[in-house]
Each structure stands twice: as structure tokens, then as C-alpha cells.
Amino acid sequence: MPYRIVLGRPLHPAGAAVLAARPDVETIEMFDPPAPALHAALANADGLVAWLERVDTAALAAAPRLRAVSRIGVGFDTVDIPACTERGIAVMVVNGTNDLSVAEHAMMLMLGVARRAVDSDAHIKQGGWWPKDGPRMVDLAGKSVLVVGYGRIGSRVAAYARAFHMKVMVHDPLYHPARIASDGHIPARDFKKALAEADVVTLHLILSDRSRNTVTAPDLALMKPTSFIVNTSRGPLIEQSALIAALKEGRIAGAGLDVFDIEPMPADHPILAAPNTVLTPHLGYVTEQNYRTYYEVA
């Protein structure tokens, strides 16, 4: 009997070729399956290649043969690690493959909000030219950016921001201030003080019970009305209702988001009606080069 592997989404051709070359492997290809469909597919599965699918107790109960879960990404907040450990199911992520891609995406979102790229694109496609109230764009050079999380991605974003001649503050209690300073950045031990000083806040943390709601309504209230926030990590790092209210009320100037509290995002999600946002569907890591790298590393 061949090994049966469920794919949460179609693989890059490089990855598909690896599996196709194995006569002892059978794949079931899906695309962001709802939980009932995923659970049905897992009934006879030995492995799961997951994207955003939740591997929780319900999924595991439906998968008596499951032996391995591999996430296309570096986070594991969608996987019940204790439950998998109890079952002896191996859980794998692909650390180190998406650092550059996500860091570049964070800078794209930062520039997109600062230069109001989406607004300008929509305006000119509707037959307009210069808006009557002016472009209202800002330069990144000379602005202060607070990088929250100084791991593989956050450290890259800090370096990129410095190359843009920004004043780079870094908040990460896991890194000694001397290490941050040696990289040419300003250690920001006092998170709330740094929030009040920053023109841009960019988040680069894993999602855990400790990091959930890192930015709440009181935190957003500390930020300048001209400042904006970027998140390419996980949606629940920011209190979503508070962010939406701050944007709609003009208490911050904008947001660049690749991640959300609900994914895939429903069509009536209130963030869609918020002003000056650049939104992308959790794809900051899916560049052609990086997507192929997953399989070269594996």
C-alpha cells in the first residue's frame, strides 16, 4: 500500500516532481480545504503538507494513520504540538527558507503605505490624475522605525530600513542590547516608550500565548497619528478590533498587513473598509525563488 500524503495546496513543480518520482507515494491535492473536507481526506493519510490548515484535536482524531505533518512555512501555531507529540506524529517546519522574502515583503508594505500606492493606483485607473488634496505621501528616510522581534526576518528588516536612512529601534528582550547596538541599531527596552516615538512599527514575532495581542488598544493610543503599522507575522499579534477603530478614527495613519485574525479572510471583514491600508493574503513568503527553495532544502 503506498504512503498517502494530503497536500493542503498544490505544490511548486519542484516539489511535485519529488513526490511524482516516488512510486510508493500517493498524493491527495486540495486547496485551502474547509475542516470537514480536510478531515475526510485525512482518514487514510500517512502525512500532511499543511499551509494554513489547522491540525487540531479534531483533525488528529480523523487521522488514525497520520505519522508526519510538514508545514510550508516557519510557524507552528496552527498545529497542536502536544497532541501530535502524544500520538508520536513528527511535526516539521522549514526554518531559514523564507527570511529574505518576508523581509522584502515587509519593506514593500512599508513603502506601499508611506507612498499610498494602492490609493494612487485606484485613482489613476478610475481616470484621475493628481488628487485634489495632494498625494499626501511621506519619505521613509529620516523616519523612526520600531522593529519588534529581532530574529532572522526582523534583523533583515532592520538592515533594510537602515539602508533607507531610517532611525532603527529594535525591541526584543531575547537579544542583549549590546548585540542590537553592535548591528548599528538602537535597543528599545521600553516597548511603550518606543511605540510613542516610532513613525513605523513592524512586527516580526512568532505567535504564542505570550505574544498574542502584543499591540492592543492602549498601545495604539500611544502611537503618533502620522504613524503606521506593518505586520507580516501573524494577525493575532495585533488586537484587530482596536486596529480597525484606530484606522477609521484617524488615530494612526495606515497599516500594511499580510496576516489577519481570520484566514482566509471573509468578504465582510471590517479591515477591508479601513482607510489607507495595503493588504495581501499571507503570501509574503511565496516568491518564485523562495517557493522553490523549500524543496531544495528538503
Side-chain angles (χ1 to χ4, degrees):
M1 179 181 294
Y3 295 107
R4 181 170 294 177
I5 300 176
V6 174
L7 309 177
R9 289 184 188 173
L11 299 180
H12 184 280
V18 171
L19 296 180
R22 292 282 300 268
D24 59 338
V25 170
E26 173 185 309
T27 59
I28 301 173
E29 187 177 284
M30 311 184 83
F31 190 91
D32 292 344
L38 175 65
H39 297 174
L42 289 174
N44 296 307
D46 300 288
L48 168 65
V49 178
W51 291 68
L52 300 177
E53 296 78 29
R54 299 203 67 83
V55 186
D56 50 19
T57 53
L60 293 175
R65 285 174 40 183
L66 195 65
R67 297 168 58 186
V69 175
S70 179
R71 280 218 62 252
I72 300 294
V74 299
F76 45 83
D77 49 283
T78 55
V79 181
D80 189 329
I81 299 296
C84 287
T85 301
E86 185 177 345
R87 282 267 306 272
I89 297 171
V91 178
M92 295 156 280
V93 294
V94 284
N95 283 335
T97 59
N98 66 356
D99 309 348
L100 186 149
S101 300
V102 176
E104 285 191 1
H105 200 80
M107 292 305 299
M108 182 278 294
L109 291 173
M110 201 180 298
L111 285 162
V113 176
R115 294 308 180 106
R116 304 188 75 96
V118 172
D119 289 350
S120 293
D121 178 79
H123 184 66
I124 198 169
K125 286 177 178 177
Q126 292 165 5
W129 195 239
W130 270 50
K132 291 181 180 179
D133 54 352
R136 295 169 292 142
M137 300 187 300
V138 297
D139 292 329
L140 292 183
K143 295 290 190 292
S144 297
V145 58
L146 173 60
V147 178
V148 184
Y150 199 59
R152 289 183 299 268
I153 297 171
S155 57
R156 280 186 180 271
V157 172
Y160 292 163
R162 191 174 181 213
F164 272 77
H165 302 287
M166 301 183 78
K167 173 185 174 182
V168 180
M169 302 180 289
V170 174
H171 176 78
D172 192 329
L174 298 179
Y175 284 81
H176 195 282
R179 159 66 196 283
I180 295 170
S182 70
D183 288 343
H185 313 310
I186 301 169
R189 305 196 79 166
D190 188 329
F191 179 58
K192 296 189 181 298
K193 181 181 178 183
L195 278 176
E197 295 177 7
D199 298 297
V200 184
V201 177
T202 180
L203 303 178
H204 304 284
L205 302 169
I206 64 169
L207 179 62
S208 66
D209 290 341
R210 183 176 180 179
S211 66
R212 188 178 298 272
N213 286 336
T214 290
V215 179
T216 61
D219 298 316
L220 290 164
L222 294 172
M223 294 173 62
K224 302 174 185 178
T226 54
S227 67
F228 56 89
I229 194 163
V230 170
N231 189 6
T232 53
S233 296
R234 290 294 186 270
L237 295 178
I238 305 174
E239 185 181 353
Q240 297 284 294
S241 59
L243 173 61
I244 292 163
L247 288 166
K248 288 186 173 180
E249 296 166 13
R251 290 186 279 109
I252 64 171
L257 307 173
D258 187 47
V259 289
F260 306 91
D261 56 340
I262 303 172
E263 297 180 359
M265 186 195 298
D268 60 351
H269 196 295
I271 193 68
L272 297 173
N276 196 23
T277 59
V278 179
L279 310 178
T280 56
H282 202 154
L283 49 60
Y285 59 101
V286 190
T287 63
E288 174 62 27
Q289 297 91 329
N290 181 52
Y291 200 13
R292 176 181 294 275
T293 299
Y294 284 128
Y295 307 104
E296 293 174 347
V297 169

